Amino acid sequence: MVQIQDLAQYTADIAQKLGVHKYDVYGANTDSTSVQVDHGEPKQVKASNRSSVIVRVWNDNGTMGVTSTTDVDPVGIELALKTAQDASIFGVKEHIPDFSPESTAPLPEVTANRAEPTPVTDLITSLVKAEQELLGAHPAIHSVPYNGLSQQEIERFYLNSAGALRSEARTYASVYLYSKTEEEGKKPRSAGSFRMSPGLGSLAIADCIAEAREKTISHLNYQKIPSGKYRVVFSGEAFLGLLGAFSNLFNAQSVLDKQSLSTPESIGVAIASPLLSLADDALHPDNVSAETFDGEGTPTRRVPLIENGILTSFIHSTGTAKRMNAQPTGHANIGAKVSVSPHFYHVFPGQPSETHYSLDEAENVLLIDDLSALHAGVSALQGSFSLPFDGWLVNKGEKISVDSATIAGDFRDLLKAIIYVESEPELTPGGVCPRIWVDDVSVTGES
Amino acid sequence: MEFVRLINWGTPQAHDVVKRTHPTQIPMAPSTLLLTQELPSLDYLATPARFDGTWEAPLSTLLGLGRAAGADFVEFFLERVNYISCLAEDDLITSISPSLTTGAGIRVFRGKADCYVSTNDLTFQGLKTALEKALSILGLTLPAPTAFIPEVCLELLRDYAKAKDKALWLPECSSIEEMGEILLATTASLAQAASHVQSRRAAFFRDWQEVLVASSDGTFARDIRLTQSVSCNVLCADGEHRTSNGLRDGDTSDPDFLRNWNYQKATAEVAESAGQMLYADYVESGTYPIVMANHFGGVIFHEACGHLLETTQIERATTPFMEMKGQKIAHENLTAWDEGRSDDAFGTLDMDDEGMPTQRTLLIENGILKNFLSDRAGQMRTGHPRTGSGRRQNYTYAAASRMRNTYIAPGDCSVEEIFASIDKGIYCKKMGGGSVGPTGEFNFGVDEAYLIENGKVTKPLKGAILIGEAKDIMHKISMCSNDLSLAPGFCGSISGGIYVTVGQPHIKVDSITVGGR
């Protein structure tokens, strides 16, 4: 593990020796342990202790080059600075990335609960017990083929030649259980659950078991459904999955690169039903992995993206903010080209609904729990999607699992076809989002 | 007691230059003299610049230490990577990203359970610390202070890099300047070839990897791999009509790859696809017979069958084929291979990441399941023999049974005969990605499709995803043409993302669910 103060010192010394006057460094130390089990026995334990940094060097002509490396000792840093210096000759001449004007601004206060690492044997024991409970939950559950329990400590840091030096450390624990059924004359069915927390002590393993069990059993009785247009209810996780796949809508770098469904003129335009509001909020209290600064050292913050259906802001790096006359929002990742990415979505109701819907009363609606193949079935620049899913046909609260079907459509049309945003948020690793109701979604089942 | 082992840098036969003394001078072979209590003061200097014979002594000792602590098997995987990527957007180079990685992964087996520890610290102390962590996680303790640690004797370094002059590869690859020139020529060519262009991109990466594997069964092998890939992409828009089309080429083991790349051919192909797809209708959902083009069409076999023949799937009981070796699992016209030996293909490598030479593995012969893809853990846990298929993205992953170049063998039909057999169906010309789940249900996206009417290809269609059950679909691949073509791809699974080839001739699938609108 590299000590950040030491790294800052020897990087400064080496830079001086090499005649490098302007540089910055972003990096992380990671210490992690994870376990998997198979029918009561430990299967694989993984542990790692790693460091990595990316350095940016500006030469005297002002152009910039980068290098990333896992060798963070003085020899490795020297090679990285030299390589970055060499690459800087070929750096861009327009819109050259620069330090964030906020790289030394005060960071937001967050309460990060850091947990002490748990011995590996305790991780194994906890997971074996969870697996056992799930196997005993129903005679059809034959295996938990994908399972894992892990703990991790991450320390992130940013420093630059103008005196910025900031770091933060977090601990996480996470568990996933994915069980599979076998029944005579039926297809195998499967479902799973995931939970995350700052440490093993606060990890909701019992909830994870209960959810995996309930979902897996709910898919035992399945049927094909006819193709057609359906009223669809997306779970928080499914909606966030789709939103994430089309995140170019909010990404200032994508907009500037013309790799987005939005243009600079899209701000202020109604892109969704007025029932929908959305923010990106790294500092949301439910975000276990809350980061207080981005790759450029800019403090993170809550950024409203959609208010009552209107697109209100993009997420920015220092460079995109400068080009679009906005403020950096703390969403940058440094590289030869600075990229921009979201932290943690918060979806919530916009304008109050006139009509309230409930799964207990609705007839013939499709509840989509999880979307698959987002990497294959989404055309992010066309706006279209065509995706397999796990879900149920719901009739007055009674659920029957849907066998091999897909949904398809245009994401921009879907945002406008929202008829209801429920109030109860669902917590997922990538954000919080309630169930979202959408009308007239094309579903392919049986013709 | 000071006890230092010093090994000359770059000396090929490490054991010749080991200088060590021992106060008691016991007349035994020097290699059996190390005691546990001497470990803390033991040090080695292996050359950091290259994996060569100087690594033999420290690794022999560490492997011996693992075995002495009671491990059934110990493996060291050392890796050094010199990677660079380059991106051209419209008429500018916007990103050049070099990345240097050094790391090691230590795998220890106790019975059928294993522990994998990774680190960036390749000093003797760093490797020893990582090994001790792995041992302690598995409940193994270091032997008593006066216990012997017999070192593991390794085979003569099996050096594929040296045998095939691979040291020359890296300096012969395209310079940053040359990368920039070729990518900018590519984006310029896209501007000329396509219409309604909104943005143009060309991207290249070069991944140079040196690996060393040493394990307690005596394996000691080194290799250098060179993988390069270039892609170009165009986004075209006309009002509400939008299409994004691209193409990727790639190979291994050829430093001249980029400079010999025919970018005009690539951009012409992309421009033609974009022209076809810009105003294409969305596909109408339903169940159709389909023709899948050769080349990247092979994604269907990769998802619907390839993954399900990996022993990692047998370990988890997530494959319907686990008990079906020797039985008919596919149409009698179907034969399929997975191998690491095709010249310069994207999934080609001399040895796998466990130091075994890659093999040519016959998966299915005339519909009969012949072999699974197995790695070391797979052989141990399922009994299926290793096939040189142990692969991993990098040192942070333990190797797992993975595909290499996977393809359906050519058949005896002509492409015309295949189309002629279909009244109404879909021609899947260019596939996107795909996936397969633990129940054997697979899917893949189609970027460029056409309607087939009365044996003829008619209008372009977009936005299709195809889904099916592995067990059913393999019996429905009923016709194969004779125009096998391989395409580069990236495959992500338990041991990370790896370079693979998919491939096939044109094939007919009698019926499949096509998801659309």
Side-chain angles (χ1 to χ4, degrees):
Chain A
M1 288 291 200
V2 62
Q3 297 300 313
I4 294 147
Q5 293 287 351
D6 296 349
L7 174 77
Q9 189 55 56
Y10 60 69
T11 304
D13 295 345
I14 295 164
Q16 196 180 12
K17 192 177 87 183
L18 297 175
V20 169
H21 304 115
K22 183 173 178 181
Y23 62 86
D24 65 0
V25 180
Y26 174 84
N29 289 321
T30 314
D31 193 333
S32 69
T33 312
S34 66
V35 302
Q36 287 172 31
V37 300
D38 182 15
H39 287 93
E41 296 293 329
K43 187 177 177 197
Q44 185 171 71
V45 180
K46 279 182 84 169
S48 69
N49 193 327
R50 297 199 294 271
S51 302
S52 66
V53 299
I54 177 164
V55 301
R56 297 194 292 186
V57 167
W58 283 261
N59 61 29
D60 293 340
N61 296 323
T63 57
M64 187 272 289
V66 308
T67 293
S68 40
T69 182
T70 58
D71 292 332
V72 293
D73 59 4
V75 178
I77 291 294
E78 179 163 347
L79 181 60
L81 285 170
K82 269 189 199 157
T83 311
Q85 201 175 18
D86 292 346
S88 71
I89 299 164
F90 303 95
V92 288
K93 296 190 174 57
E94 275 177 51
H95 310 302
I96 303 170
D98 202 349
F99 291 163
S100 166
E102 300 183 23
S103 65
T104 52
L107 293 178
E109 296 276 335
V110 292
T111 27
N113 298 313
R114 286 181 64 178
E116 286 301 311
T118 309
V120 175
T121 45
D122 293 0
L123 296 179
I124 293 171
T125 313
S126 303
L127 191 59
V128 164
K129 196 164 151 266
E131 186 204 31
Q132 199 174 17
E133 254 184 72
L134 202 45
L135 286 172
H138 193 280
I141 298 180
H142 273 231
S143 62
V144 189
Y146 292 90
N147 62 68
L149 182 59
S150 69
Q151 61 183 9
Q152 199 169 41
E153 179 171 8
I154 297 181
E155 185 180 28
R156 306 163 54 245
F157 51 89
Y158 174 83
L159 62 96
N160 68 27
S161 52
L165 176 60
R166 46 187 36 168
S167 68
E168 67 185 1
R170 295 279 183 277
T171 61
Y172 316 112
S174 65
V175 59
Y176 65 92
L177 298 165
Y178 204 94
S179 53
K180 186 178 153 218
T181 66
E182 308 271 347
E183 275 187 322
E184 193 62 35
K186 282 191 170 179
K187 290 186 192 181
R189 307 292 284 169
S190 67
S193 175
F194 176 88
R195 290 288 185 280
M196 195 169 165
S197 75
L200 185 65
S202 52
L203 191 61
I205 299 178
D207 290 355
C208 187
I209 299 168
E211 187 183 0
R213 177 185 58 216
E214 192 196 319
K215 279 192 181 168
T216 308
I217 294 170
S218 78
H219 289 299
L220 279 174
N221 288 315
Y222 56 88
Q223 67 175 37
K224 295 243 185 226
I225 55 168
S227 297
K229 300 266 187 187
Y230 285 77
R231 176 168 288 178
V232 165
V233 182
F234 289 92
S235 72
E237 187 170 347
F239 189 78
L240 288 175
L242 211 47
L243 193 66
F246 290 99
S247 63
N248 69 47
L249 274 169
F250 319 109
N251 187 316
Q253 187 64 54
S254 304
V255 171
L256 289 168
D257 293 343
K258 296 184 184 161
Q259 297 280 318
S260 172
L261 296 169
S262 300
T263 67
E265 291 71 43
S266 302
I267 298 288
V269 173
I271 64 161
S273 150
L275 302 172
L276 184 83
S277 287
L278 164 71
D280 185 75
D281 188 2
L283 307 171
H284 192 283
D286 289 326
N287 184 8
V288 176
S289 50
E291 294 179 352
T292 58
F293 60 90
D294 72 1
E296 297 182 311
T298 305
T300 57
R301 66 208 70 188
R302 181 181 174 88
V303 181
L305 300 175
I306 298 176
E307 282 180 49
N308 302 332
I310 312 280
L311 182 67
T312 49
S313 175
F314 297 129
I315 54 175
H316 284 285
S317 61
T318 301
T320 63
K322 194 172 163 197
R323 287 173 68 185
M324 297 178 86
N325 203 16
Q327 287 299 308
T329 57
H331 288 88
N333 312 296
I334 63 170
K337 176 168 177 164
V338 177
S339 64
V340 169
S341 59
H343 292 288
F344 191 81
Y345 287 126
H346 180 199
V347 179
F348 53 101
Q351 277 181 12
S353 302
E354 285 168 12
T355 320
H356 288 249
Y357 297 92
S358 152
L359 280 176
D360 293 334
E361 290 149 23
E363 290 175 33
N364 210 40
V365 298
L366 206 52
L367 172 57
I368 293 188
D369 185 43
D370 197 14
L371 294 164
S372 335
L374 286 159
H375 70 293
V378 165
S379 178
L381 296 179
Q382 283 173 18
S384 60
F385 62 88
S386 176
L387 298 165
F389 64 88
D390 287 340
W392 306 273
L393 191 67
V394 186
N395 259 312
K396 297 189 171 169
E398 204 169 300
K399 298 198 293 189
I400 180 142
S401 174
V402 174
D403 180 34
S404 48
T406 65
I407 59 163
D410 183 290
F411 187 63
R412 290 166 301 176
D413 296 343
L414 183 140
L415 284 176
K416 290 189 172 156
I418 291 172
I419 56 163
Y420 186 50
V421 175
E422 292 192 8
S423 55
E424 191 63 34
E426 192 182 298
L427 176 61
T428 79
V432 288
C433 178
R435 286 200 289 242
I436 309 278
W437 295 56
V438 183
D439 256 358
D440 287 331
V441 180
S442 294
V443 175
T444 303
E446 265 185 328
S447 38
Chain B
M1 175 177 62
E2 268 305 302
F3 194 88
V4 177
R5 278 188 177 189
L6 188 69
I7 292 164
N8 278 348
W9 284 23
T11 309
Q13 294 301 318
H15 53 267
D16 291 338
V17 294
V18 174
K19 301 274 184 258
R20 60 197 304 252
T21 55
H22 198 280
T24 50
Q25 297 294 316
I26 301 169
M28 279 178 71
S31 59
T32 58
L33 287 178
L34 185 62
L35 302 179
T36 308
Q37 63 195 7
E38 296 167 348
L39 274 172
S41 54
L42 194 61
D43 206 358
Y44 292 84
L45 269 180
T47 170
R50 176 167 71 251
F51 296 139
D52 57 19
T54 61
W55 290 83
E56 181 184 355
L59 292 173
S60 295
T61 300
L62 291 170
L63 290 166
L65 175 62
R67 290 280 291 112
D72 294 313
F73 179 80
V74 185
E75 175 198 82
F76 281 79
F77 175 81
L78 274 52
E79 180 189 32
R80 194 177 354 249
V81 173
N82 184 324
Y83 177 96
I84 190 165
S85 64
C86 185
L87 172 70
E89 291 177 89
D90 297 332
D91 300 307
L92 289 175
I93 296 295
T94 55
S95 171
I96 291 166
S97 304
S99 173
L100 307 167
T101 306
T102 312
I106 293 112
R107 195 173 194 184
V108 176
F109 278 85
R110 185 184 192 185
K112 288 184 178 178
D114 76 297
C115 178
Y116 191 78
V117 174
S118 56
T119 177
N120 298 126
D121 186 350
L122 261 60
T123 63
F124 181 73
Q125 286 304 326
L127 294 175
K128 183 158 122 342
T129 304
L131 171 67
E132 286 172 356
K133 185 167 186 179
L135 293 170
S136 95
I137 284 172
L138 285 176
L140 296 168
T141 44
L142 294 184
T146 53
F148 286 124
I149 301 172
E151 58 196 26
V152 166
C153 297
L154 299 172
E155 65 174 311
L156 206 62
L157 179 60
R158 188 155 36 87
D159 191 339
Y160 294 94
K162 203 171 171 190
K164 296 191 174 184
D165 279 339
K166 299 182 183 184
L168 300 172
W169 283 352
L170 189 57
E172 285 176 3
C173 284
S174 296
S175 65
I176 292 179
E177 226 164 347
E178 191 175 26
M179 287 174 209
E181 283 164 13
I182 295 169
L183 294 188
L184 289 175
T186 306
T187 54
S189 169
L190 277 173
Q192 287 193 332
S195 56
H196 301 290
V197 175
Q198 187 170 330
S199 70
R200 296 164 280 133
R201 287 183 162 200
F204 166 77
F205 74 76
R206 179 207 73 213
D207 188 353
W208 178 95
Q209 183 199 35
E210 180 187 12
V211 299
L212 182 73
V213 179
S215 50
S216 60
D217 66 353
T219 302
F220 190 42
R222 169 181 183 251
D223 197 11
I224 287 177
R225 287 99 176 239
L226 176 68
T227 311
Q228 297 178 90
S229 176
V230 61
S231 63
C232 59
N233 196 286
V234 67
L235 172 63
C236 299
D238 182 10
E240 280 305 291
H241 297 283
R242 296 165 73 90
T243 185
S244 166
N245 295 81
L247 173 155
R248 171 178 298 284
D249 282 317
D251 83 355
T252 55
S253 319
D254 176 14
D256 294 322
F257 165 73
L258 184 63
R259 58 182 73 99
N260 291 340
W261 182 55
N262 187 341
Y263 65 84
Q264 284 105 337
K265 182 166 167 269
T267 56
E269 202 176 303
V270 168
E272 163 156 13
S273 291
Q276 291 282 2
M277 300 315 292
L278 182 56
Y279 305 104
D281 289 337
Y282 284 97
V283 68
E284 195 182 321
S285 66
T287 302
Y288 298 94
I290 59 165
V291 177
M292 294 200 53
N294 59 0
H295 209 61
F296 204 69
V299 68
I300 186 174
F301 186 81
H302 177 99
E303 302 298 355
C305 192
H307 275 298
L308 301 171
L309 300 181
E310 296 165 344
T311 49
T312 47
Q313 305 275 344
I314 300 179
E315 290 175 38
R316 289 186 160 82
T318 46
T319 166
F321 304 128
M322 66 186 289
E323 305 288 352
M324 298 186 77
K325 193 164 165 175
Q327 297 179 41
K328 187 164 180 292
I329 65 161
H331 197 280
E332 64 264 17
N333 289 347
L334 189 131
T335 293
W337 294 89
D338 180 279
E339 46 86 2
R341 316 300 309 180
S342 288
D343 276 350
D344 300 353
F346 211 51
T348 293
L349 55 174
D350 280 316
M351 68 171 203
D352 73 359
D353 292 325
E354 299 179 315
M356 177 174 177
T358 55
Q359 303 296 312
R360 193 177 291 282
T361 310
L362 181 56
L363 300 174
I364 296 172
E365 188 172 29
N366 300 324
I368 309 291
L369 176 58
K370 304 295 279 189
N371 285 291
F372 291 99
L373 297 174
S374 185
D375 62 330
R376 192 181 286 279
Q379 175 164 351
M380 201 179 291
R381 291 173 182 152
T382 70
H384 295 290
R386 287 170 74 192
T387 49
S389 305
R391 300 188 65 189
R392 56 184 119 202
Q393 178 178 334
N394 58 35
Y395 72 96
T396 65
Y397 296 91
S401 54
R402 302 289 296 272
M403 286 177 265
R404 299 156 300 192
N405 305 310
T406 315
Y407 47 86
I408 296 175
D412 359 320
C413 303
S414 68
V415 177
E416 294 72 29
E417 283 169 333
I418 296 181
F419 280 104
S421 72
I422 293 176
D423 289 334
K424 187 183 180 195
I426 310 276
Y427 173 38
C428 302
K429 188 174 175 198
K430 202 154 170 300
M431 265 45 69
S435 60
V436 60
T439 59
E441 190 170 288
F442 70 89
N443 59 69
F444 56 91
V446 184
D447 289 342
E448 188 180 341
Y450 296 83
L451 193 63
I452 304 171
E453 292 171 296
N454 302 319
K456 297 271 179 290
V457 172
T458 57
K459 65 172 189 171
L461 296 168
K462 63 182 168 191
I465 194 148
L466 276 56
I467 63 170
E469 306 276 342
K471 250 179 135 166
D472 297 343
I473 211 74
M474 295 311 297
H475 293 284
K476 292 181 180 167
I477 299 177
S478 61
M479 295 172 88
C480 301
S481 69
N482 46 16
D483 56 348
L484 172 67
S485 172
L486 304 184
F490 303 98
C491 171
S493 182
I494 53 168
S495 60
I498 57 169
Y499 306 121
V500 298
T501 294
V502 299
Q504 63 177 31
H506 279 76
I507 62 164
K508 177 184 177 184
V509 181
D510 292 336
S511 73
I512 190 166
T513 302
V514 178
R517 300 189 181 180

